[in-house]
């Protein structure tokens, strides 16, 4: 395992992923604000939630580079296109597994079955996060493709 490569390109990939997702919201491609959603898991303070969520999302992205590196090491090669394939699967996993499960673990998110309460006021993502806009899955997949391409293009297999 090339730990220096994991640390550097995991950092860069996480930066690009987090920035791409924020840019997607800013451009109106999605209403989803992942840092806010993640931050409100840990704090009810809506102002602080964005910072906490940005840090959590960034740390997750940095840590997940380790799993990309494990795959590259097992295949004895790392290429941008292998990274894109892994990124696509990673993005699908986020949309089809993580987002639908989020209401069951998020203390401030309503669910599909039960609407908002005084404590649970955040909108649930719905299937493939489509409650946040029709283009949300596209922005999520594109961000993860970019992340994977960075991991694959720059990770150095040892």
């Amino acid at each position: 395992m090339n730990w220096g490569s994991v640390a550097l390109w995991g950092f860069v990939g996480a930066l690009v992923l987090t920035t791409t997702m924020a840019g997607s919201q800013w451009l109106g491609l999605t209403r989803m604000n992942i840092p806010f959603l993640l931050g409100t898991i840990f704090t009810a303070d809506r102002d602080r939630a964005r910072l906490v969520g940005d840090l959590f999302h960034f740390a997750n992205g940095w840590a997940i580079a380790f799993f990309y590196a494990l795959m590259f090491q097992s295949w004895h090669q790392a290429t941008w296109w292998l990274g894109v394939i892994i990124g696509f699967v990673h993005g699908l996993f986020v949309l089809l597994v993580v987002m639908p499960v989020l209401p069951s673990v998020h203390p401030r998110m309503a669910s599909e079955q039960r609407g908002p309460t005084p404590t649970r006021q955040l909108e649930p993502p719905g299937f493939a996060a489509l409650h946040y806009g029709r283009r949300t899955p596209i922005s999520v997949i594109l961000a993860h493709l970019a992340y994977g391409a960075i991991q694959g293009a720059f990770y150095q297999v040892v």
Side-chain angles (χ1 to χ4, degrees):
M1 179 77 59
N2 186 339
W3 292 105
S5 194
V6 170
L8 174 61
W9 298 110
F11 180 89
V12 171
L15 188 65
V16 168
L17 177 68
T18 303
T19 303
T20 302
M21 292 304 300
S24 293
Q25 186 188 16
W26 183 78
L27 290 170
L29 298 175
T30 180
R31 292 184 307 108
M32 183 171 65
N33 185 330
I34 285 290
F36 181 74
L37 290 176
L38 292 174
T40 53
I41 291 172
F42 303 104
T43 180
D45 183 335
R46 294 172 77 87
D47 294 326
R48 186 169 293 138
R50 174 73 194 221
L51 173 63
V52 171
D54 269 326
L55 293 174
F56 185 76
H57 190 255
F58 186 81
N60 263 351
W62 204 357
I64 287 171
F66 170 78
F67 295 102
Y68 278 69
L70 282 176
M71 286 183 255
F72 295 139
Q73 285 297 139
S74 73
W75 296 330
H76 304 289
Q77 66 175 329
T79 64
W80 69 268
W81 58 269
L82 280 173
V84 165
I85 292 169
I86 300 168
F88 181 73
V89 173
H90 181 190
L92 283 178
F93 180 79
V94 167
L95 287 168
L96 302 178
V97 177
V98 175
M99 296 309 283
V101 169
L102 194 56
S104 64
V105 297
H106 198 300
R108 293 174 237 311
M109 183 176 283
S111 72
E112 296 283 329
Q113 291 73 34
R114 282 182 248 126
T117 67
T119 305
R120 294 179 173 261
Q121 295 185 353
L122 296 175
E123 179 180 17
F127 175 74
L130 286 168
H131 288 183
Y132 300 133
R134 290 186 329 219
R135 293 177 289 200
T136 298
I138 296 167
S139 68
V140 170
I141 292 293
L142 289 177
H144 286 84
L145 291 177
Y147 177 87
I150 290 167
Q151 299 312 304
F154 298 109
Y155 178 77
Q156 298 296 311
V157 176
V158 289

